Amino acid sequence: MAGHSKWATTKHKKAAIDAKRGKLFAKLVKNVEVAARTGGGDPEGNPTLYDAIQKAKKNSVPNDNIDRAVKRGSGAEGGGAEYHTIMYEGYAPGGVAVLIECLTDNRNRAAAEVRTALTRNGGQLADPGSVSYMFSRKGVVVVPKTDGLAEDDVLMAVLDAGAEEVHDQGETFEVHSEATDLVAVRTALQDAGHDYDSAEASFIPSVEVPLDEDGARKVFRLLDALEDSDDVQNVWSNCDVPDEVLEKLDA
């Protein structure tokens, strides 16, 4: 029975990972389609589309799916939906602030799903402006730590392009800049021969809320519920979870 139970658990985990992967693919493809609709279908002349395609490729989205999304977005192929970007603000347990970016073709459905995910997991919707002031819109480029790449190497490559700071995140470096300098920073990295995992505008919290194991578990449950929605594209929070707490949760 133990073997069967272990197999069932493994199978369940694999199904959950596959489902998350499927949802991630769908969100990345949607991102590509919207970028193509907003700025045209040529990645060379549309940096937002270029970065959306790169992110999709880095996450192993098949090229056919990416190409079709570009065609739908640019109008070269029918079937594209009219997506709207909507920002919601809320609180997770422990007073953690949450920003939720939806990309949806149905505003009512998106609002209902966000409200349900929050209230079922100990959170609540907040009035517009009551949470967003705690975050700044920044350009964030994630650079993998390849052999011998040091923080100074990254800093030297991006300093003149408008980068503000480089953070060592363990397995990666994170380069922060003004959102308007994102493309210049990403281009400077490429010119210096450094690979990058993603380049996108993000929201960085100015104040963080430290969490213990119990608090982190509750907040992560809420964040997972939000990201489970097909309409939710990105979720940002100001929770600060120490490495030792993360290790306990992973175990």
Side-chain angles (χ1 to χ4, degrees), residues 107-186:
R107 289 170 179 269
N108 292 337
R109 181 187 65 218
E113 289 194 357
V114 167
R115 185 179 287 108
T116 300
L118 286 167
T119 52
R120 281 188 181 167
N121 293 281
Q124 64 188 74
L125 266 180
D127 293 331
S130 58
V131 162
S132 57
Y133 77 92
M134 291 187 256
F135 294 83
S136 301
R137 186 87 163 151
K138 294 288 181 184
V140 177
V141 185
V142 178
V143 182
K145 279 191 181 178
T146 49
D147 290 342
L149 184 65
E151 190 171 331
D152 283 348
D153 300 331
V154 177
L155 196 57
M156 290 306 292
V158 297
L159 211 48
D160 292 338
E164 294 174 346
E165 49 194 358
V166 177
H167 295 275
D168 188 334
Q169 302 285 33
E171 294 181 0
T172 60
F173 294 113
E174 219 174 68
V175 185
H176 292 185
S177 69
E178 287 299 324
T180 48
D181 291 327
L182 175 64
V183 175
V185 169
R186 183 257 288 159

Side-chain angles (χ1 to χ4, degrees), residues 92-110:
V96 169
V98 185
L99 281 183
I100 305 134
E101 181 185 55
C102 291
L103 204 51
T104 181
D105 56 357
N106 186 324
R107 289 170 179 269
N108 292 337
R109 181 187 65 218

Side-chain angles (χ1 to χ4, degrees), residues 21-221:
R21 189 180 172 87
K23 281 188 184 293
L24 177 64
F25 276 19
K27 290 180 183 189
L28 292 169
V29 164
K30 197 193 287 187
N31 223 18
V32 170
E33 187 175 329
V34 169
R37 174 168 293 123
T38 309
D42 176 16
E44 292 304 315
N46 181 352
T48 307
L49 176 61
Y50 179 92
D51 287 328
I53 290 172
Q54 289 304 309
K55 189 174 182 184
K57 286 182 173 178
K58 298 271 187 189
N59 283 280
S60 307
V61 176
N63 284 333
D64 282 356
N65 297 35
I66 296 171
D67 292 342
R68 282 201 301 274
V70 172
K71 286 175 181 172
R72 283 196 305 272
S74 62
E77 190 177 284
E82 187 64 48
Y83 292 114
H84 304 278
T85 300
I86 313 167
M87 292 293 288
Y88 293 102
E89 301 178 32
Y91 287 103
V96 169
V98 185
L99 281 183
I100 305 134
E101 181 185 55
C102 291
L103 204 51
T104 181
D105 56 357
N106 186 324
R107 289 170 179 269
N108 292 337
R109 181 187 65 218
E113 289 194 357
V114 167
R115 185 179 287 108
T116 300
L118 286 167
T119 52
R120 281 188 181 167
N121 293 281
Q124 64 188 74
L125 266 180
D127 293 331
S130 58
V131 162
S132 57
Y133 77 92
M134 291 187 256
F135 294 83
S136 301
R137 186 87 163 151
K138 294 288 181 184
V140 177
V141 185
V142 178
V143 182
K145 279 191 181 178
T146 49
D147 290 342
L149 184 65
E151 190 171 331
D152 283 348
D153 300 331
V154 177
L155 196 57
M156 290 306 292
V158 297
L159 211 48
D160 292 338
E164 294 174 346
E165 49 194 358
V166 177
H167 295 275
D168 188 334
Q169 302 285 33
E171 294 181 0
T172 60
F173 294 113
E174 219 174 68
V175 185
H176 292 185
S177 69
E178 287 299 324
T180 48
D181 291 327
L182 175 64
V183 175
V185 169
R186 183 257 288 159
T187 305
L189 279 165
Q190 288 174 300
D191 290 347
H194 302 314
D195 193 19
Y196 72 101
D197 282 344
S198 64
E200 56 197 333
S202 186
F203 283 94
I204 306 295
S206 51
V207 180
E208 294 189 328
V209 178
L211 296 176
D212 59 14
E213 188 178 344
D214 183 53
R217 189 173 279 111
K218 287 175 182 171
V219 170
F220 286 170
R221 191 181 298 130

